[in-house]
């Protein structure tokens, strides 16, 4: 790609030179301007993840916007790693060997970013990780390696605060057995994912820090997935019945899975526990609107896509409207989703 660009540039320079010496300059001006083509390779951990598929749509939309605005052609090649780190490594190798201008990676295993960073550094290619945060040491090894994501702890705290607000308004609607404590279950994302660890910790912390004691009935992973969450929740309903007062879910898809299980169980609506999510996916927002989910924290895929595309094109500039932390990190803030404001998010 680079050498091709160099040839094009040299040819253009040559024709300007010739033109200046031999002919009238109107010849060069009349020639249609050559549009630059930029190649961006994206490798995602799995395409059937609801939030990631939203992000891919947002990346495509952002690329179109930038193309129109900046008179540039962008080829965005998104590949699915199907949860296999070795497949992902091959995809990255492919992008680098074809001299892509930037490579964006949603790591399968976020602890194995080291080799990818090293290869990108050797090829001099900007590398933008997103959503699955690599180890800091790996990022520090290449000036043009970045992480774009969101502050997971913040989303956990927001989830907890949504519950605290609802509890303060009407304690009995949450603490149904009236023992002064909140009996909860926790549906976790993938083990080792920064969002699973921090959302799990900070959601409960916000509740206990507000002076409301909690009582964990059960926790377990459903790997971000709706069907796995339904299966887990079914077991818990069988075991604890209506003792479950709150279902904390590390994302909306698992919250929807828990709601599916509650619906299937035939539990009367007034005995349902409160369910909380994170992401603000379309079906998640609808659940907040219908009241089956109490609230969620908005994971701004569109903003994250903007930062990923901007860094891919201009790795030496901090994208306008974003803050670069520790030279490598962009964290897009979360925001609260409630029944009162969910409609504002539906049309974003
Ligand atoms: C989280 C998101 C989850 C899932 C996960 C994948 O940020 O909340 O729904 O998409 O990323 O890495
Ligand atoms: Ca209780």
């Amino acid at each position: 790609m680079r050498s091709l660009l160099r040839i094009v540039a040299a040819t253009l320079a040559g024709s300007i030179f010739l033109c200046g010496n031999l002919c009238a300059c109107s010849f060069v001006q009349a020639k249609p301007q050559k549009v630059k083509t930029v190649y961006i390779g994206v490798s995602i951990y799995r395409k059937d993840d609801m939030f990631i598929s939203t992000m891919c749509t947002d990346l495509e939309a952002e690329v179109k916007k930038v193309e129109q605005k900046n008179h540039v052609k962008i080829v965005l090649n998104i590949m699915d790693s199907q949860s296999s780190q070795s497949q992902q490594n091959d995809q990255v190798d492919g992008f680098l060997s074809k001299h892509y201008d930037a490579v964006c990676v949603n790591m399968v295993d976020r602890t194995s970013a080291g080799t990818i960073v090293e290869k990108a550094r050797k090829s001099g290619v900007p590398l933008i990780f997103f959503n699955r945060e690599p180890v800091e040491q790996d990022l520090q090894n290449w000036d043009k390696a970045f992480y774009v994501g969101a502050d997971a702890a913040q989303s956990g705290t927001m989830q907890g605060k949504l519950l605290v607000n609802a509890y303060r308004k009407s304690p009995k609607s949450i603490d149904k057995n009236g023992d002064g404590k909140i009996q909860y279950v926790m549906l976790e994302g993938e083990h080792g994912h920064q969002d699973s660890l921090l959302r799990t910790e900070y959601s409960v912390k916000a509740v206990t820090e507000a002076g409301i004691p909690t009582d964990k009935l059960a926790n377990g992973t459903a790997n971000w997935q709706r069907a796995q969450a339904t299966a887990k929740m079914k077991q818990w309903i069988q075991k604890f019945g209506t003792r479950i007062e709150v279902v904390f879910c590390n994302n909306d898809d698992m919250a929807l899975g828990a709601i599916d299980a509650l619906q299937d169980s035939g539990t009367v609506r007034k005995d349902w526990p409160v369910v909380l999510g994170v992401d603000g996916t379309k079906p998640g927002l609808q659940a907040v609107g219908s009241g089956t989910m109490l609230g969620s924290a908005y994971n701004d895929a569109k903003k994250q896509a903007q930062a990923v595309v901007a860094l891919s094109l201009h790795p030496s500039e901090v994208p306008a409207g974003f803050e670069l932390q520790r030279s490598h990190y962009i964290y897009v803030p979360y925001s609260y989703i409630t029944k009162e404001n969910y409609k504002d998010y539906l049309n974003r």
Side-chain angles (χ1 to χ4, degrees), residues 90-286:
D90 291 348
Q91 289 168 2
V92 172
D93 288 348
F95 294 142
L96 293 175
S97 71
K98 288 184 194 114
H99 306 289
Y100 270 53
D101 298 286
V103 173
C104 309
V105 185
N106 174 228
M107 289 297 297
V108 173
D109 171 4
R110 71 192 186 98
T111 62
S112 344
T115 30
I116 293 181
V117 173
E118 192 49 22
K119 284 178 185 167
R121 190 185 64 77
K122 278 195 183 134
S123 313
V125 173
L127 179 62
I128 299 95
F129 294 101
F130 62 97
N131 171 264
R132 299 161 76 89
E133 187 170 334
V135 184
E136 175 144 17
Q137 234 177 3
D138 290 338
L139 271 191
Q140 303 289 5
N141 284 338
W142 170 218
D143 291 0
K144 290 189 179 142
F146 303 95
Y147 174 69
V148 175
D151 174 6
Q154 186 193 27
S155 55
T157 302
M158 285 181 159
Q159 216 181 42
K161 286 192 172 167
L162 283 165
L163 181 66
V164 170
N165 287 345
Y167 180 85
R168 296 246 157 90
K169 264 192 215 148
S170 158
K172 279 190 200 143
S173 69
I174 314 273
D175 179 18
K176 296 213 176 64
N177 66 359
D179 68 349
K181 289 190 214 158
I182 290 178
Q183 277 73 30
Y184 75 89
V185 292
M186 178 73 69
L187 275 169
E188 295 163 8
E190 289 161 279
H191 278 310
H193 191 302
Q194 81 278 347
D195 292 342
S196 311
L197 301 166
L198 294 168
R199 288 173 187 165
T200 297
E201 180 185 345
Y202 281 82
S203 52
V204 176
K205 204 168 171 186
V207 179
T208 48
E209 278 179 359
I212 307 165
T214 58
D215 190 2
K216 181 168 85 182
L217 298 178
N219 67 304
T221 179
N223 295 306
W224 307 121
Q225 293 171 39
R226 185 168 179 158
Q228 286 190 30
T230 305
K232 260 279 115 87
M233 186 66 190
K234 279 192 170 162
Q235 289 169 12
W236 292 340
I237 294 173
Q238 245 180 15
K239 191 157 174 202
F240 307 110
T242 52
R243 280 178 63 210
I244 307 171
E245 294 172 338
V246 171
V247 189
F248 285 111
C249 309
N250 286 171
N251 76 344
D252 281 0
D253 247 24
M254 295 190 295
L256 293 165
I259 292 166
D260 293 341
L262 286 162
Q263 246 142 14
D264 283 358
S265 72
T267 313
V268 277
R269 190 68 185 78
K270 71 168 183 38
D271 292 335
W272 277 31
V274 156
V275 180
L276 288 145
V278 174
D279 277 342
T281 59
K282 285 268 142 66
L285 291 170
Q286 269 139 8

Side-chain angles (χ1 to χ4, degrees), residues 64-81:
K64 289 222 169 74
K65 231 168 78 188
V66 173
E67 277 187 326
Q68 276 161 13
K69 209 169 137 202
N70 298 353
H71 197 64
V72 54
K73 172 148 181 50
I74 303 172
V75 174
L76 182 76
N77 185 0
I78 302 181
M79 297 186 84
D80 178 11
S81 302

